[in-house]
Amino acid sequence: GGLRLVGTLQSRDYTAVSKYYHAETVGRPDVYGGNADVLDDIKILRENYAGIARPALLHWYDTKILLDLKKTNSLEVFDFTAIFFKSEMDQLIQRVLEEKPQYLFVGRAGSGGGFAPFAVYTDKLEYFRAGVAGLYNVERELKTMDVLVLR
């Protein structure tokens, strides 16, 4: 059961599911007060980090970002908002500490465009950042995320 799920997440082909992904709210600048910022960040990722086959991404709009980039997340996260337990976040942190990807793309607290439901997930971002702080520095601040680089 669990091994099969991990295998599914690791091999998920976002280019194949994109034709079925219809979120009327994603990409509209009038929704959540700032989706245009996400599109700007995607453009920067596409222009500056295209060589990364499987980016390590932890972000509110993870699915939208990965679909637009036609990439698969190297972190075993299907949907950021589906992480409910500290133990799940501990597993992500441990994986990063072991694998040491060159870059991490981590959503910034307060960058959810003021969309109230995102506020409940802020602690996840802070906890993750604290867990990897010994290995990573902020290389670049984008509108909705920070690009962390391995020291």
Side-chain angles (χ1 to χ4, degrees), residues 43-61:
K43 182 179 178 193
I44 290 169
L45 295 179
R46 190 178 289 122
E47 292 170 355
N48 296 280
Y49 302 95
I52 300 172
R54 295 185 66 199
L57 175 70
L58 195 64
H59 194 278
W60 321 109
Y61 296 115

Side-chain angles (χ1 to χ4, degrees), residues 53-87:
R54 295 185 66 199
L57 175 70
L58 195 64
H59 194 278
W60 321 109
Y61 296 115
D62 49 5
T63 302
K64 171 63 177 170
I65 293 167
L66 293 165
L67 286 173
D68 281 15
L69 295 176
K70 296 181 169 71
K71 304 275 185 178
T72 300
N73 201 344
S74 71
L75 299 178
E76 294 175 2
V77 178
F78 173 67
D79 178 7
F80 173 75
T81 60
I83 301 170
F84 294 111
F85 302 107
K86 180 179 171 279
S87 60

